[in-house]
Amino acid sequence: DLSDIETDDEEFKGRTGGCGGGWKVDPELAAETIERLRAREAKWRAPYVPDAPLAKFRSVVVEWMREVASEQGLVRGTLHLAVAIFDIFISSANLSMKRNLQLVALGCILISAKYAEPQLRIPSLNELSEC
């Protein structure tokens, strides 16, 4: 709630912001901002290669990752980041055996949990491996 913010600008006096709060949006500035954010996103997007040797196992591994994240009570963003890291890895790595993919997936979940989860909810490697 922004109602407690004081301003000398007449245009913003009494406005509370948010949906229906009366803020004016410059459509030109909004379009420019969206374009800039999309360009930045494209620059860092994971280079997923669907014909990579291990890509045929992706759906099975991602489903397993979803189950692990659900069992551990991880936030949705953690799973999305883990899958993005996994996609980058399988697009560039050359693993000889598909059984290593589960270990890679666990590593991706652990890395993403350390980044996206609240400090007190980060699962240990032992907790993840029990799933």
Side-chain angles (χ1 to χ4, degrees):
D1 182 30
L2 301 176
S3 60
D4 59 348
I5 298 175
E6 294 185 22
T7 181
D8 293 332
D9 193 338
E10 289 297 320
E11 181 181 348
F12 296 107
K13 280 198 180 208
R15 306 239 179 159
T16 58
C19 292
W23 289 105
K24 294 180 183 176
V25 176
D26 179 5
E28 213 173 285
L29 180 61
E32 181 183 313
T33 302
I34 289 170
E35 185 177 321
R36 187 174 61 248
L37 290 173
R38 283 189 178 151
R40 188 185 308 172
E41 179 186 28
K43 179 180 176 185
W44 296 105
R45 187 172 291 141
Y48 176 63
V49 180
D51 58 342
L54 297 174
K56 60 186 173 187
F57 303 110
R58 181 186 184 274
S59 62
V60 174
V61 175
V62 169
E63 178 60 26
W64 179 80
M65 291 170 75
R66 188 195 61 75
E67 290 173 11
V68 169
S70 178
E71 286 179 22
Q72 292 295 320
L74 303 177
V75 297
R76 193 177 317 171
T78 301
L79 176 61
H80 291 208
L81 181 57
V83 172
I85 294 169
F86 183 76
D87 285 344
I88 292 169
F89 185 84
I90 66 170
S91 296
S92 60
N94 186 11
L95 290 178
S96 58
M97 295 181 284
K98 64 182 179 183
R99 70 175 180 211
N100 292 336
L101 286 179
Q102 191 172 21
L103 183 58
V104 170
L106 275 178
C108 294
I109 293 171
L110 186 60
I111 290 168
S112 64
K114 288 185 181 275
Y115 179 78
E117 289 292 321
Q119 188 67 29
L120 298 174
R121 291 188 36 190
I122 298 173
S124 69
L125 189 55
N126 287 337
E127 291 171 333
L128 287 175
S129 63
E130 290 173 0
C131 294

